[in-house]
Amino acid sequence: MLRNGAAGGGGGGAAAGGGGQRPVRVWCDGCYDMVHYGHSNQLRQARAMGDYLIVGVHTDEEIAKHKGPPVFTQEERYKMVQAIKWVDEIAPGAPYVTTLETLDKYSCDFCVHGDDITLTIDGKDTYEEVKTAGRYRECKRTQGVSTTDLVGRMLLMTKAHHSNIDEDLDYRKHTDNFGKGPKGHSPWTGVSQFLQTSQKIIQFASGKEPEPGDTIIYVAGAFDLFHVGHVDFLEKVHQLAEKPYIIAGLHFDQEVNRYKGKNYPIMNIHERTLSVLACRYVSEVVIGAPYAVTADLLDHFRVTLVCHGMTEVVPDKDGSDPYEEPKRRGIFQLVDSGSNLTTDIIVQRIIKNRLEFEARNQKKEAKELAVLEAMRRLEEEKH
């Protein structure tokens, strides 16, 4: 059970300590395609460096030019980033190369990026200009997750990514092929395993208890590959009450696999927990919630309303309706998010573009290795 904080919370900027100083405005930018908790963690760290965070999101055209086809449309990506609770404002259509002109246009003091590298189509560091001007800060990259790895899991269509079995040669072979160019392995593009810590959960949760007058709303599901379809649903649920307090129940991996089949969930329970905690509409997460919404659960959390989207509800193991109890109490409500996007559709998009994605990642890898080699040569020349 994890309490979630509202957006903002405790900035570390000039204005945070009072004294009438101007608020520190921070800039981040990126594709934010297939947003995962690694992106959210970057934005959390960036927001902690100042008082107001603006996130520039590139257009489909810019991404296609420099990297290859995005999985999500720009409209989907704008909405996804806006839903992350540490983001104060988004700047749609931000240029791929970060310039001082952009920082000045949005009155930002500096820009923040992870400690990996981002290159243009011709292999140049996209942050070179702001680095030279001293208006660049770095935050730590989240270990164990990358879009490359998630795409690899989807293409594989096997349950191997939930086991720690290194002997699974099919998986190792596939991920190695997916995150590796012909001449070596880039430290930024490879596949590694996410290790959950209590510290990471605390950083994402920043707890707040329900207050008198709050409407406590319970929603449950896999929330796998947390995407804009989930955001649309949670936003609609959030609008149902004046003071909503939304508790999201996340089912364990084995339970999700029972009702979804194939290789679902693509993200494990720890990864899904962080993804949901990063959403501004969610107040609390129950890790490993029971599939059936029981009387005990409803009473424990003092739930006023239970909501479910328009997707099919699979019966429990014994054939019963998992929402039987909230329906009996008259507190169950179906909510139409207006979105037809599902995790299945995302996987289909990936598989459809499989060859393009594999080519894109190998190209990215080759550019990164060229930069590493140049950096190594520079070091050698110094000595």
Side-chain angles (χ1 to χ4, degrees):
M1 188 180 88
L2 301 169
R3 291 193 179 83
N4 208 0
Q21 288 167 287
R22 185 181 67 76
V24 173
R25 290 167 67 89
V26 181
W27 173 267
C28 280
D29 56 26
C31 305
Y32 299 102
D33 194 22
M34 283 184 58
V35 169
H36 50 66
Y37 57 91
H39 295 119
S40 301
N41 196 34
Q42 178 220 359
L43 298 174
R44 178 189 69 77
Q45 293 176 80
R47 180 61 175 75
M49 294 182 195
D51 305 293
Y52 193 85
L53 176 63
I54 301 175
V55 181
V57 185
H58 310 318
T59 61
D60 295 345
E61 193 182 353
E62 278 278 86
I63 298 169
K65 179 180 154 191
H66 292 278
K67 286 180 78 169
V71 180
F72 291 97
T73 68
Q74 59 203 41
E75 294 307 321
E76 288 169 334
R77 291 182 293 105
Y78 297 157
K79 181 173 269 190
M80 199 66 210
V81 174
Q82 188 64 73
I84 294 171
K85 66 182 177 184
W86 297 287
V87 176
D88 294 297
E89 184 185 325
I90 65 158
Y96 198 80
V97 176
T98 312
T99 62
L100 294 171
E101 186 187 347
T102 301
L103 294 190
D104 292 342
K105 178 183 173 183
Y106 290 95
S107 307
C108 288
D109 298 81
F110 53 85
C111 96
V112 176
H113 188 66
D115 53 4
D116 55 347
I117 196 159
T118 309
L119 304 169
T120 62
I121 191 168
D122 49 8
K124 292 201 173 78
D125 181 352
T126 55
Y127 294 99
E128 195 173 337
E129 186 178 314
V130 291
K131 281 178 180 175
T132 307
R135 289 171 70 182
Y136 177 84
R137 305 276 187 283
E138 211 160 73
C139 64
K140 284 195 76 61
R141 186 180 172 277
T142 308
Q143 289 302 310
V145 67
S146 68
T147 302
T148 308
D149 182 22
L150 294 177
V151 170
R153 297 183 202 183
M154 281 181 256
L155 292 176
L156 191 60
M157 278 300 172
T158 169
K159 278 184 269 202
H161 62 261
H162 288 310
S163 66
N164 301 330
I165 304 169
D166 284 337
E167 290 79 29
D168 194 313
L169 295 178
D170 268 359
Y171 182 51
R172 289 261 65 93
K173 193 171 86 183
H174 182 88
T175 51
D176 283 353
N177 175 45
F178 195 74
K180 189 164 73 177
K183 292 187 179 165
H185 211 299
S186 160
W188 299 303
T189 305
V191 175
S192 57
Q193 195 177 3
F194 171 68
L195 299 172
Q196 180 72 287
T197 62
S198 57
Q199 183 57 31
K200 184 60 66 214
I201 290 177
I202 289 162
Q203 286 169 344
F204 271 56
S206 61
K208 118 179 155 53
E209 299 254 4
E211 292 170 3
D214 282 359
T215 301
I216 298 173
I217 307 174
Y218 182 74
V219 297
F223 293 100
D224 194 15
L225 277 185
F226 192 75
H227 55 71
V228 77
H230 297 129
V231 168
D232 284 335
F233 167 68
L234 290 167
E235 186 181 17
K236 282 276 177 16
V237 171
H238 197 266
Q239 290 164 358
L240 293 176
E242 201 176 317
K243 288 181 68 190
Y245 186 94
I246 297 175
I247 300 173
L250 266 62
H251 302 140
F252 277 132
D253 298 340
Q254 294 85 340
E255 192 69 72
V256 176
N257 190 255
R258 178 186 71 80
Y259 64 81
K260 287 278 286 176
K262 294 183 194 161
N263 70 328
Y264 294 110
I266 287 159
M267 282 183 160
N268 67 38
I269 185 73
H270 303 305
E271 297 175 307
R272 293 184 284 121
T273 296
L274 292 185
S275 299
V276 175
L277 278 175
C279 179
R280 66 173 67 247
Y281 303 118
V282 175
S283 303
E284 173 127 75
V285 167
V286 181
I287 303 171
Y291 187 66
V293 182
T294 61
D296 282 352
L297 184 144
L298 296 173
D299 295 342
H300 178 82
F301 291 112
R302 301 192 305 282
V303 174
T304 317
L305 188 62
V306 175
C307 294
H308 190 273
M310 305 309 282
T311 53
E312 180 199 2
V313 175
V314 177
D316 206 348
K317 292 186 198 73
D318 61 2
S320 63
D321 178 357
Y323 290 100
E324 193 178 324
E325 180 61 22
K327 285 175 181 174
R328 191 187 67 75
R329 296 186 184 198
I331 60 169
F332 180 77
Q333 186 171 335
L334 282 174
V335 174
D336 187 351
S337 68
S339 168
N340 67 349
L341 191 66
T342 62
T343 307
D344 281 329
I345 289 170
I346 296 164
V347 172
Q348 282 160 23
R349 286 186 193 182
I350 296 277
I351 289 169
K352 184 166 162 274
N353 295 319
R354 174 179 182 153
L355 294 174
E356 277 186 271
F357 283 119
E358 290 197 338
R360 176 180 101 173
N361 280 290
Q362 293 203 353
K363 234 163 59 181
K364 181 172 179 266
E365 185 88 7
K367 282 196 294 190
E368 288 170 356
L369 286 167
V371 169
L372 276 176
E373 180 59 26
M375 285 159 70
R376 191 184 60 76
R377 279 205 302 270
L378 272 173
E379 277 301 307
E380 282 175 358
E381 283 165 18
K382 281 182 197 168
H383 301 302

